[in-house]
Amino acid sequence: MAPEFVKVGKHNIDAKEYLAPGHTFCTGCGEALAIRLVCKALGENTIIGMATGCDEVCTSPLPVTSWRLPWLHTLFENAAAEVSGMEAGLKAMMRKGKAPQRDIKFVAMAGDGGTSDIGLQALSGALERGHDFLYVCWDNEAYMNTGIQRSSATPYGASTTTAPAGKLSMGQQTQKKNMVEICVAHEIPYAATACPSYPFDLMNKIKKAVEIKGPAYVHVFVPCPTGWRTPSNQTIEIGKLAVETGVFPLYEVENGRYRLNVDPPKLKPVEQYLKPQGRFRHLSPGEISEIQERVTEGYARLKEKATSFPAG
Amino acid sequence: MSKRVVLEASHAVAEAVKMADVDVVAAYPITPQTHIPERLAEMVADGELDAAYIPVESEHSAMSTALGAAAVGARAFTTTAGQGLELMHEPVYIAASHRYPIVMAVCNRALSAPISIWCDHSDVMSCRDTGWIQVFCQNNQESFDMTLWAFRVGEDPSVMFPVMVNLDGFTLSHVTEPLLLPDQADADRFLPKYEYRLALKPEAPTSHGGFGLPDIYTEVKFAQEVALRGSRAVLDKGWKEFADIFGREYKAVETYKADGAKTLLVTMGSLGETAKMVVDSKREKGEAVGHLNLRLWRPFPFADFREAVKGVDTLVVLDRCFSFGGPGGPVCSELRAALFDMDKRPKVVGFIGGIGGREIDAETFAYMIDRGKEIAEKGSEYLYEPVLVRGLERGTGVRG
C-alpha cells in the first residue's frame, strides 16, 4: 500500500495527488504548483468552486478532468457566490438529515481578475454573510488566460498587453489593489498572503484557514513565466525575491491582528526582483527608485501593524 | 384535504416553496418580487421552513448561489423580476446547461429605460432561449400549483432542467384572492424527495462545468436541445398526476369556449382572466369567439398548439413585449412560425400592448377581436398594431 504521507523535514505532506497529471498549464506555472500544494493541504474532504481562468481552462477540457476533488466551475465572477450556495446548501441538507454529517471544506478559487475586479462584489457579499468557507486567490498580476491584459492587481510599472510600455507610457500607471486589506476590512477571522516558493508556509496557512470557522481568505502570489517574461525554471526564485525584497510580504491577519511570517533582517533592493522580469525591463532607474520607495514604505506600514496589533 | 385560504399570489408561491421543503432560498429584493423572499425569510425566521435563506448581494449572485446549492444536491429556489432577471442573465444559462433543477419565480416586470416597476413580459422574453422550462400563471391558485409542479417535473431524473414560473408583476403577484392549499401529506405524495445522483461529494468526486472545445461543444449543446424537447412527456405526466391528487387540470395549451370558435384570442399570463370575460360577452352576442391560454412557453408545445387552432380562421395575439425592429411581438411571431407549414392555417393578427403596466381592459380586448376579424377579412399593410398608445389612432400599426 502506498504511504499516506510523505515526510519532508518535520512536515507530513499528503502523498495523494488531487490535481491529476495531463493538465495543460504552462511549463513553470506558479499557479499549478500552488494548486497542487493547496489541495494536498486541504485533503479529500473538500469541495471546490472555481472561477473561469487559467486554472479552470487548464484542468477541465471536456470530457476529461484533472480534478480528483469534487469541482464546480460556472462563471468568471461568481466563485464566492457559488461556494456560498454549496456551503449553505450542504449544511442545510446535513441539518435536515438529507446528507451525512461530516466536516467538509468549501473552497473558492479564482485568479486576481476574478477576485479583485469582476468577482469583488460576490466575494464581498460572501465574506459579509459569514459563510464558513475559504477563498483562495491565485495572483499572477494580470489576465493571463486571455493574454496578459492588465488587472487591478497588476503592479505599478508592469507592461501588459492593455497597459503596454510605450513612448508615452511606462506601462501600468496604477498601484496594485490590496485585496488582503479589503478582506480584513470585512472583519473576517483569517486573511493571509502566501507563495508556493514557501511551500510549508502556504500549506500551513491553508490548513489554518479551513480550520477557522467563518470566512477565510488566502492571497497566493503565483509567478507566471509566460506573462512576466521570466525563464520557466525561475518561478520559485522569483517568488522568493518578491518576498525578500518586500514586494510581496508573507503575513497573516487573525481577527484583525497581524503576523509577519517571513521578516528578513534587511530587505533586498527591489531591482533584484524587477530585473529578471521582461515586464519590468523598460523601467528607468528613476521609476525603479519610485517603486523602491513605495515598497519600503508599504513594508514599514505592515511592520507597524504587526507591532501594534500583533497576532497571538 | 385541501383548505381554502385567502392569499396574495406572492405568498401562494412562498407556500408552495415551503411545501417543497427547499434547502436553499437565495434571493435579492426587487419590486415587484419582494413579497416572495420576504415571506420565505419570515418562514425561515419562524421555523416554519428549515432552509438556508441567503440574502445575496445581487441577482447574479442569487442564481450563482442557487447553482452552487444545486451542485451539492440541495433543492434550491430563487425569485426575481425585470432588471434582476437581466442582471442574472449569465448564470440563468448555466442552470439549464448544467441540468440543475432550480425553480425560479419571475414576477414579470418591464425593462429600463425608462425605469418601470410595472408589468410586461420583456424580462422573460430575453430569457426565451436560455434552456429553461417556462410556464405562465393566470391567477393565485395557478401560482401555487405551477410552483409545486415546477419542482416535481424539473427534478424528474429524465428531465433535470430548471423551471421558471412566470407571474405578472403587481397585477398577479400583489393580488389577494382565495385558493386551495393542499395538505403537506398530499404535497409530499406529489413531490417525492429529491436525490441528485451526480451531486458534488468527496467520496465520489465529479467535475461540473468543464470547458468545451470545438470538437465537443456542438454535441453537448445538441444533447441539451434533445433533452429539453424530450422533457415534454414528463411535463404532461406531472400535470396528470397533479390532477389526480389535487383535482385541478392543466395543459400546455388551454382553450376556453373554443368549440366551434372561428376566432381565438391568445394570451399568456394573468390577462387571460380578462380575456375570458370578453369571450363570455362575445359568445352571449352570438360571436364564435374563444380563448387560448399559452401556459407552456418552453419547450414550445407545437403539436398541441396546431391541434388547438384547427378549424379556426383567426388568431388574435396579444404580446406584452416589443421586439424592436423585428417581426412583431415575440409570441405572435413564434405562433406564425409554428403554423407556417400547415396546409390550412388561421390568419394570425398581432397586437402589442400591456407594456410597462398599462392596463388592457375588456373594451380593448373586444376591440382587438373585432379589428382582428376585420384584418383577417380585408388584410392589413401592418406587421402588427400597438394598442393603447397615446396619439396613435386605432387601426394603424407598424410596417415591416
Side-chain angles (χ1 to χ4, degrees):
Chain A
M1 209 178 128
E4 276 183 43
F5 292 97
V6 177
K7 203 147 175 75
V8 183
K10 59 182 178 168
H11 305 278
N12 279 323
I13 310 300
D14 194 338
K16 279 194 210 118
E17 297 295 346
Y18 298 98
L19 182 69
H23 58 71
T24 57
F25 286 105
C26 302
T27 313
C29 173
E31 184 169 294
L33 296 173
I35 291 173
R36 176 172 177 243
L37 297 176
V38 165
C39 290
K40 280 174 178 284
L42 290 168
E44 62 188 5
N45 278 328
T46 300
I47 302 180
I48 294 172
M50 184 170 274
T52 307
C54 289
D55 45 1
E56 161 266 330
V57 167
C58 294
T59 59
S60 72
L62 289 170
V64 297
T65 180
S66 292
W67 291 98
R68 290 170 176 159
L69 292 171
W71 177 89
L72 170 67
H73 158 255
T74 60
L75 295 164
F76 197 3
E77 66 280 62
N78 66 350
E82 65 182 21
V83 175
S84 299
M86 289 175 177
E87 183 257 3
L90 203 51
K91 284 190 173 164
M93 289 172 74
M94 287 181 196
R95 189 175 66 234
K96 294 162 85 171
K98 292 183 179 179
Q101 288 280 353
R102 60 194 154 165
D103 185 18
I104 289 182
K105 297 154 192 133
F106 298 94
V107 184
M109 296 179 181
D112 51 283
T115 301
S116 59
D117 289 339
I118 200 166
L120 185 59
Q121 176 180 312
L123 171 60
S124 175
L127 296 181
E128 174 271 324
R129 292 190 301 270
H131 292 278
D132 187 13
F133 81 118
L134 164 64
Y135 189 103
V136 184
C137 171
W138 315 120
D139 181 8
N140 53 21
E141 302 198 313
Y143 290 92
M144 298 312 185
N145 187 43
T146 42
I148 323 169
Q149 293 83 16
R150 65 84 75 187
S151 78
S152 61
T154 302
Y156 181 76
S159 181
T160 56
T161 55
T162 52
K167 283 178 192 155
L168 300 177
S169 175
M170 42 81 79
Q172 182 87 345
Q173 313 265 350
T174 53
Q175 299 296 333
K176 184 179 176 73
K177 193 185 274 187
N178 191 332
M179 272 311 301
V180 173
E181 286 303 321
I182 288 171
C183 293
V184 168
H186 286 73
E187 300 188 357
I188 58 172
Y190 188 78
T193 64
C195 175
S197 302
Y198 298 80
F200 303 117
D201 179 74
L202 168 62
M203 285 189 282
N204 286 341
K205 281 171 175 165
I206 295 295
K207 282 181 184 165
K208 193 189 260 189
V210 288
E211 269 163 29
I212 286 168
K213 204 171 155 42
Y217 177 86
V218 179
H219 193 96
V220 187
F221 190 74
V222 288
C224 169
T226 309
W228 296 7
R229 287 178 272 145
T230 51
S232 56
N233 63 357
Q234 291 300 301
T235 299
I236 298 299
E237 191 52 34
I238 296 286
K240 267 192 186 160
L241 282 168
V243 175
E244 288 167 355
T245 53
V247 166
F248 189 84
L250 295 183
Y251 68 103
E252 56 194 336
V253 189
E254 294 178 27
N255 297 310
R257 296 191 160 268
Y258 288 72
R259 180 186 294 118
L260 265 167
N261 306 102
V262 176
D263 187 15
K266 193 173 181 317
L267 295 178
K268 288 182 177 171
V270 289
E271 197 172 2
Q272 287 188 25
Y273 167 72
L274 301 174
K275 250 204 162 145
Q277 302 185 49
R279 62 175 175 157
F280 294 121
R281 197 160 294 150
H282 58 282
L283 292 178
S284 68
E287 285 158 350
I288 290 174
S289 48
E290 200 187 329
I291 293 172
Q292 179 67 68
E293 270 174 44
R294 276 204 167 255
V295 167
T296 309
E297 198 196 314
Y299 198 81
R301 211 179 305 132
L302 181 63
K303 275 197 87 155
E304 173 62 28
K305 283 180 192 163
T307 314
S308 305
F309 308 102
Chain B
M1 269 297 284
S2 296
K3 68 173 177 213
R4 199 171 171 78
V5 295
V6 176
L7 281 182
E8 189 182 302
S10 294
H11 292 179
V13 169
E15 287 295 331
V17 173
K18 183 182 99 177
M19 286 201 178
D21 187 31
V22 297
D23 303 307
V24 168
V25 175
Y28 185 81
I30 181 168
T31 306
Q33 149 268 31
T34 43
H35 292 187
I36 299 175
E38 283 171 9
R39 181 73 191 105
L40 286 165
E42 200 172 63
M43 288 167 167
V44 171
D46 286 338
E48 287 176 55
L49 168 63
D50 186 0
Y53 181 91
I54 311 177
V56 286
E57 83 296 335
S58 73
E59 287 89 357
H60 194 286
S61 283
M63 184 52 71
S64 298
T65 300
L67 293 175
V72 296
R75 189 174 270 169
F77 174 81
T78 187
T79 173
T80 189
Q83 301 308 124
L85 189 59
E86 293 307 297
L87 185 62
M88 75 162 58
H89 195 66
E90 192 191 22
V92 165
Y93 276 88
I94 309 280
S97 305
H98 280 210
R99 310 284 298 273
Y100 295 152
I102 295 161
V103 172
M104 170 161 65
V106 178
C107 298
N108 303 114
R109 165 179 157 167
L111 296 180
S112 295
I115 187 167
S116 163
I117 56 172
W118 291 276
C119 177
D120 68 32
H121 291 172
S122 304
D123 56 0
V124 58
M125 286 305 149
S126 77
C127 286
R128 188 186 66 180
D129 296 338
T130 53
W132 283 55
I133 293 163
Q134 298 170 39
V135 286
F136 281 78
C137 306
Q138 299 178 101
N139 55 41
N140 295 26
Q141 184 71 63
E142 292 185 11
S143 303
F144 175 90
D145 292 353
M146 287 310 115
T147 305
L148 198 63
W149 170 87
F151 287 102
R152 164 69 185 82
V153 297
E155 292 170 359
D156 190 286
S158 67
V159 175
M160 293 301 286
F161 275 109
V163 185
M164 198 181 292
V165 178
N166 290 282
L167 51 156
D168 289 336
F170 288 122
T171 44
L172 179 51
S173 66
H174 285 49
V175 164
T176 298
E177 61 183 18
L179 71 148
L180 292 169
L181 278 191
D183 276 350
Q184 185 66 50
D186 284 341
D188 291 345
R189 200 147 59 89
F190 175 68
L191 179 63
K193 286 203 180 340
Y194 170 53
E195 263 183 58
Y196 179 30
R197 196 170 54 86
L198 295 173
L200 294 178
K201 49 188 163 202
E203 64 273 26
T206 46
S207 294
H208 296 199
F211 94 107
L213 287 162
D215 65 358
I216 198 166
Y217 186 86
T218 306
E219 287 71 23
V220 171
K221 297 320 278 186
F222 180 62
Q224 185 181 338
E225 157 77 332
V226 169
L228 182 64
R229 286 174 192 274
S231 73
R232 184 51 212 284
V234 178
L235 308 189
D236 291 340
K237 190 168 150 255
W239 280 319
K240 169 82 173 53
E241 288 172 10
F242 192 94
D244 290 345
I245 294 175
F246 305 111
R248 291 183 292 279
E249 289 182 18
Y250 295 109
K251 284 193 285 193
V253 173
E254 292 164 351
T255 51
Y256 177 75
K257 296 194 175 172
D259 276 354
K262 290 294 158 197
T263 302
L264 286 183
L265 185 53
V266 182
T267 60
M268 280 203 317
S270 64
L271 279 176
E273 305 272 284
T274 314
K276 279 179 249 186
M277 283 166 48
V278 175
V279 164
D280 286 344
S281 69
K282 289 278 187 193
R283 281 285 184 179
E284 274 168 28
K285 290 178 199 153
E287 294 181 40
V289 175
H291 175 251
L292 188 151
N293 173 45
L294 200 52
R295 175 172 306 287
L296 182 64
W297 176 232
R298 281 294 181 273
F300 189 83
F302 289 97
D304 313 63
F305 174 68
R306 289 184 191 125
E307 185 60 34
V309 302
K310 265 190 189 157
V312 173
D313 295 333
T314 310
L315 291 179
V316 174
V317 183
L318 174 69
D319 264 286
R320 303 194 71 176
C321 173
F322 283 103
S323 169
F324 301 109
V331 178
C332 185
S333 33
E334 188 131 326
L335 300 187
R336 279 200 181 109
L339 298 172
F340 187 76
D341 289 331
M342 288 174 77
D343 291 333
K344 193 178 173 314
R345 56 176 185 259
K347 176 90 184 162
V348 180
V349 181
F351 293 92
I352 292 182
I355 302 294
R358 185 151 299 175
E359 200 178 330
I360 302 269
D361 57 8
E363 192 276 329
T364 307
F365 272 126
Y367 163 75
M368 284 164 50
I369 293 168
D370 297 342
R371 174 70 181 148
K373 283 200 264 191
E374 190 185 4
I375 291 173
E377 230 167 79
K378 299 179 186 165
S380 167
E381 58 191 298
Y382 303 119
L383 208 51
Y384 69 90
E385 294 187 9
V387 288
L388 298 168
V389 181
R390 233 184 347 265
L392 184 76
E393 249 180 77
R394 276 188 166 174
T396 52
V398 173
R399 289 187 181 87

